[in-house]
Amino acid sequence: MFSNFMTQYTHKVTSFLIIFLSFHSKIILNNLMKNLALHWKILMGMVLGIIFGFIMNTVDGGKGFVTDWIKPFGTIFINLLKLIAVPLILASLIKGISDLKDISKIKKMGLRTISIYVGTTLIAIIIGLGIVNIVKPGAGMSADTIEKIKAKYETDLGVTDKLVKASAQKDAGPLQALIDIFPSNIFQSFANASMLQIIFFAMFVGISLLLIPEKKAKPLVDFFDSLNEMVMKMVDLIMLFAPYAVFALLANVIIAFDDTEILLKLLVYALCVIGGLLLMIAFYLVLVKVYTKKSPLWFLKQISPAQLLAFSTSSSAATLPVTMERVEEHLGVDKEVSGFVLPVGATINMDGTSLYQAIAAVFIMQVIWPEGLTFSNQIIIVLTALLASIGSAAVPSAGMVMLVIVLESIGFPEELLPIGLALIFAVDRPLDMMRTTVNVTGDATVSMLVAKSLGKLRDHPQEKNWDDNYEKVK
Ligand code: ASP
């Protein structure tokens, strides 16, 4: 009788729970989502996107479904981020410089930023070279595997496209990179999102505003202040969409993987890159702890949404608005520092990319050109990988284009180039995702160091949310 009662009771409780949950699931879900920190929501979106991608890989017509119906939401998200990047750099840099009120501080900030960037990049390359020379991931690759990879990727559009882009870059004169910083038409620079040109223009405007009487400068400074505030709010609004967008982006990445056999053959090489990248992150955390006395875990927690987006988009340029928002509002770096250090960093500071280039170049030599593995060539790699990471665009797989230039600088035989790129092509996307995460973390770290050294790091960051002002206007 007792067991009868228990069964009935359990049934009743279960039915009640089902009815309760179905009535309230939306509210429960909403509350759960509301209280969850942004990085958890993004992480959930990523994991679900990966699972969804794997499922779609096994379903007939699944890939087409993801391409036609899921991927566009990722593209819309990236478009929105790109849309606000230019006004954001312009406004925060102009406002920042006019707040600095001191031209000597701008000089100091510029010099410190560039030297720390060069320093961290050199360390990244040395770590990369150390790992690849110790582990020798290319040494044991069988002729059969090389043949397979060659057959599959040597004429792949992804590979040939990188070679064409690299040769266009190579044909430029030695001072072309310098010329490219100075725009002749700023609207063209806006349209092309030419980061360094926009930074130059914003600094030019900011410094000129400092040099005219304050009363005359005020209307423009106020305008850019207001523009900056508005664009920052746009970042908050766009980020509401981030968990769904990363779902789309990652599902799309997963459907592109098809040859797990080749992926496994490249596992040791990939692990070398991943190990190096993890060491770089550890190095940043030490820098943060030692120079700013902030907790590394706190730093990671504040910056994680930008890292997760860097991972999902493979583009430091697309991530830039979010990096700026996190660094200013969550890490407490004043905008006069973040407005300069971050856009410059997104363009020229790519520690993850340079580490990857060092490992990839030596790996390729270990497999198909061992006679090129001399000490002097490795020194050349240090220098060219440094320049290449400065010259790489902050977009997906730019690092691979510049890798061609690194290889050419050491006299790598031209006819072997397509095979070299083919060798690493299969794992390029996941490694790109990871190196972009390191690139963005490096920029955020350096902005904290520079801010600390200039007394521009606030102890209590002022977090802003998308709905701070919502009650008044809803
Ligand atoms: N995707 C990288 C970035 O945007 C560049 C690269 O290494 O390919 O930072």
Side-chain angles (χ1 to χ4, degrees), residues 12 41 112 119 156 180 193 227 283 350 363 419 441 462:
K12 275 198 180 134
K41 289 186 208 166
R112 277 185 203 169
D156 189 290
D180 286 346
L227 180 64
F283 173 62
M350 298 198 180
F363 168 72
I419 311 173
T441 313
Q462 206 189 348

Side-chain angles (χ1 to χ4, degrees), residues 411-425:
F412 191 84
E414 203 156 324
E415 67 282 5
L416 291 182
L417 271 175
I419 311 173
L421 288 198
L423 271 177
I424 54 166
F425 186 68

Side-chain angles (χ1 to χ4, degrees), residues 368-387:
I368 50 174
W369 194 49
E371 58 274 30
L373 273 172
T374 58
F375 183 72
S376 59
N377 270 350
Q378 303 226 16
I379 298 291
I380 299 177
I381 290 180
V382 175
L383 297 176
T384 45
L386 173 68
L387 294 176

